[in-house]
Amino acid sequence: MPLEISTCNHLDISHVRSSCATCSLRELCLPVGLNEQEIQALGDVVSHKRKIQRGGSLYRTGSKFQSLFAIRRGFLKTCILEQDGRQQVTGFHMTGELLGLDAISTEIHTCDAIALEDSEVCEIPFEKLEEISRVIPSLMRHFHKIMSREIVRDHGVMLLLGSMKAEERLATFLLNLSRRFLMRGYSECNFNLRMTREEIGSYLGLKLETVSRAFSKLQDENIITVDNKHIQINDIARLRMKMGNTTCDT
Amino acid sequence: MPLEISTCNHLDISHVRSSCATCSLRELCLPVGLNEQEIQALGDVVSHKRKIQRGGSLYRTGSKFQSLFAIRRGFLKTCILEQDGRQQVTGFHMTGELLGLDAISTEIHTCDAIALEDSEVCEIPFEKLEEISRVIPSLMRHFHKIMSREIVRDHGVMLLLGSMKAEERLATFLLNLSRRFLMRGYSECNFNLRMTREEIGSYLGLKLETVSRAFSKLQDENIITVDNKHIQINDIARLRMKMGNTTCDT
DNA sequence: TATCAGCTTTGATTCAAATCAACCGGAGTA
DNA sequence: TACTCCGGTTGATTTGAATCAAAGCTGATA
């Protein structure tokens, strides 16, 4: 079922908030430079939407259905769960981002995607994506870019985990969130965290107490103001200093 | 210039050591399940081979030429180099593996690939790869799998860096190398490391002294025998125990 | 063969983060 | 209202890895 695109034609992604699926796709795809034809073609293959409640999972390790998911609304985390209970968050994903790129290799999802708040996603089966890409080859190239970007992002996280101190990690994390909020049209200096200290710690390779201490330290230095889940960045320049001279963007 | 494949038809990758480019591609591609037609098609687009001397670089951060590289012979490392001199090895790559998947997103290589010993690679320009994929769609699917596998691998490394102790990291690393050597037809319990302690440390998020100590500890426990760069695994089961109950495969 | 630079090992010390523990505060509920 | 659970903060202590330091080894080269 093709989705109408005539109803909205916002090209500025910062204003795209409607529930039109193609708009959501536009929001997704503009950053990678898709043109109207490509967006419309992609809209045609979006088979269905799914809602996930807070705490619910979009997919789990071992689930076989192969799809790419575009987040239309909400906030999710992906994580690896080990047999011994060790768990690691591999990423946080917000409205307008993509999910599920790990599933292609194994025919099976190797990590879980769990909603941190009520969310809604578009599901794009890989088969459909590949099918349409044969007609519109440029789409495939964009898809490659997205996958490649994920690899680069992961390398950034590896650098963070391998060589940064707790405070540097948190600064990097906050600046990354800030940038993503800004990109989606929200304030870059005022936002609410959707995840707990423990989840942040898991992502950054730290314990929750260490995360809490790092927050307190940044607040003591007047760089940020923390009120539980609410973060206000008072001095973004000094926060960048904390990050060190890294170009890494997680 | 098409490459002849009639001269060799080894299907058992463990014996493929010839300098025939298509053989090398076969070696590369069999693990992902390419058929003869696909291998031959890919052989046709391999534009040229490159030799890299020990210490030389295949590509550097900032170089713009976009290609996928298939290692025909040798051993390379990829690493991110930060402005402040911080450097992190993101992976080691041996004969029969692929390189260059990070370049697609940015139109530019974001990390360096440096030869740890004299090496030789096939260069496959992305454009050619995409071109041929339009004719043979299954090839594209394999390419996706390879990229996806890289993402999964990176997640494994993130788990390692985020939650493992020094000894667990080294055990995981050795078992991973072991498996890859086995896959290429070498001994899984007797091999030579191509990289220094410092490079291992950089990859595992440890200092070189810590790596050395971890080696010594495993030797003291009679799990491995270390003679400088030569490693012999005496008790692979106990080495696996050291790894912890992780399924992660770096 | 001697020399030298780079790599490796080992020991002593320091330090950052984990761990252990106590307490606080808000949301939900009996 | 009192209770409990959960998430967050803060303090004290422990611990694993980094750092500093010295010395041994190896392979390349003159």
Side-chain angles (χ1 to χ4, degrees), chain A residues 79-124:
Chain A
C79 48
I80 321 173
L81 187 58
E82 288 294 337
Q83 296 141 327
D84 60 357
R86 236 188 305 211
Q87 184 185 3
Q88 176 137 354
V89 175
T90 55
F92 298 107
H93 313 272
M94 60 175 72
T95 305
E97 296 179 337
L98 295 176
L99 224 52
L101 297 169
D102 65 306
I104 319 170
S105 81
T106 46
E107 313 276 333
I108 227 170
H109 279 286
T110 52
C111 69
D112 297 5
I114 295 156
L116 296 177
E117 59 181 41
D118 290 354
S119 304
E120 194 181 310
V121 301
C122 296
E123 185 160 357
I124 310 167

Side-chain angles (χ1 to χ4, degrees), chain A:
Chain A
M1 163 188 53
L3 298 150
E4 73 295 318
I5 63 160
S6 57
T7 49
C8 52
N9 51 6
H10 317 107
L11 286 174
D12 178 356
I13 58 162
S14 67
H15 300 107
V16 180
R17 294 274 176 281
S18 84
S19 61
C20 159
T22 309
C23 256
S24 176
L25 285 168
R26 191 193 315 282
E27 183 175 4
L28 287 175
C29 300
L30 274 181
V32 287
L34 287 197
N35 62 34
E36 280 301 317
Q37 185 204 11
E38 292 160 349
I39 292 173
Q40 182 146 22
L42 202 55
D44 290 345
V45 300
V46 175
S47 56
H48 51 289
K49 286 179 264 179
R50 276 179 55 190
K51 285 181 194 292
I52 314 109
Q53 287 192 325
R54 181 192 163 86
S57 63
L58 175 57
Y59 54 81
R60 289 216 155 262
T61 305
S63 65
K64 275 184 191 161
F65 195 58
Q66 292 180 72
S67 285
L68 189 67
F69 300 96
I71 307 170
R72 304 192 53 221
R73 184 171 57 80
F75 207 94
L76 297 97
K77 67 172 178 180
T78 43
C79 48
I80 321 173
L81 187 58
E82 288 294 337
Q83 296 141 327
D84 60 357
R86 236 188 305 211
Q87 184 185 3
Q88 176 137 354
V89 175
T90 55
F92 298 107
H93 313 272
M94 60 175 72
T95 305
E97 296 179 337
L98 295 176
L99 224 52
L101 297 169
D102 65 306
I104 319 170
S105 81
T106 46
E107 313 276 333
I108 227 170
H109 279 286
T110 52
C111 69
D112 297 5
I114 295 156
L116 296 177
E117 59 181 41
D118 290 354
S119 304
E120 194 181 310
V121 301
C122 296
E123 185 160 357
I124 310 167
F126 286 132
E127 286 178 11
K128 290 282 184 68
L129 192 66
E130 289 180 331
E131 203 176 283
I132 198 103
S133 296
R134 250 166 271 152
V135 185
I136 307 178
S138 59
L139 194 62
M140 192 41 63
R141 170 154 285 227
H142 287 298
F143 182 53
H144 290 159
K145 284 196 187 182
I146 292 166
M147 289 196 84
S148 173
R149 195 172 298 151
E150 177 65 19
I151 293 172
V152 172
R153 189 190 73 88
D154 286 347
H155 285 175
V157 178
M158 285 163 66
L159 188 68
L160 177 142
L161 291 170
S163 66
M164 287 192 190
K165 301 214 174 300
E167 214 181 25
E168 295 175 313
R169 294 185 197 195
L170 189 63
T172 306
F173 172 72
L174 288 175
L175 286 166
N176 172 271
L177 276 186
S178 164
R179 194 183 48 71
R180 284 154 74 190
F181 278 122
L182 181 66
M183 213 158 63
R184 304 279 158 208
Y186 297 96
S187 164
E188 64 174 334
C189 291
N190 254 290
F191 49 86
N192 284 301
L193 300 173
R194 266 72 168 196
M195 68 297 280
T196 67
R197 301 287 188 263
E198 189 167 16
E199 286 163 335
I200 296 172
S202 173
Y203 180 61
L204 298 177
L206 301 168
K207 291 291 160 189
L208 65 99
E209 295 96 328
T210 310
V211 173
S212 178
R213 272 182 248 270
F215 269 124
S216 300
K217 184 138 183 292
L218 288 175
Q219 178 159 250
D220 290 347
E221 298 178 54
N222 256 311
I223 295 172
I224 61 172
T225 306
V226 188
D227 180 12
N228 202 349
K229 290 252 197 295
H230 182 261
I231 301 292
Q232 183 182 327
I233 301 175
N234 302 318
D235 192 338
I236 201 160
R238 275 209 293 155
L239 191 58
R240 289 212 181 93
M241 297 286 293
K242 287 282 172 190
M243 220 181 108
N245 279 326
T246 55
T247 49
C248 105
D249 187 16
T250 59

Side-chain angles (χ1 to χ4, degrees), chain B residues 3 15-16 31 33-35 44 47 49 64 66 78 84 87 92 105-107 125 132 167 170 177 188 194 199 233 244:
Chain B
L3 298 150
H15 301 107
V16 179
L34 287 198
N35 63 31
D44 290 346
S47 57
K49 286 177 268 180
K64 275 183 192 162
Q66 290 182 70
T78 43
D84 59 359
Q87 183 184 2
F92 297 107
S105 82
T106 46
E107 314 274 333
I132 197 104
E167 215 181 25
L170 189 62
L177 275 186
E188 64 174 333
R194 264 74 169 194
E199 285 162 338
I233 300 175

Side-chain angles (χ1 to χ4, degrees), chain B residues 164-166 205-207 209-210 213 227-228:
Chain B
M164 288 191 189
K165 298 211 178 298
L206 301 168
K207 290 292 160 188
E209 296 96 326
T210 309
R213 273 182 247 271
D227 180 12
N228 201 354

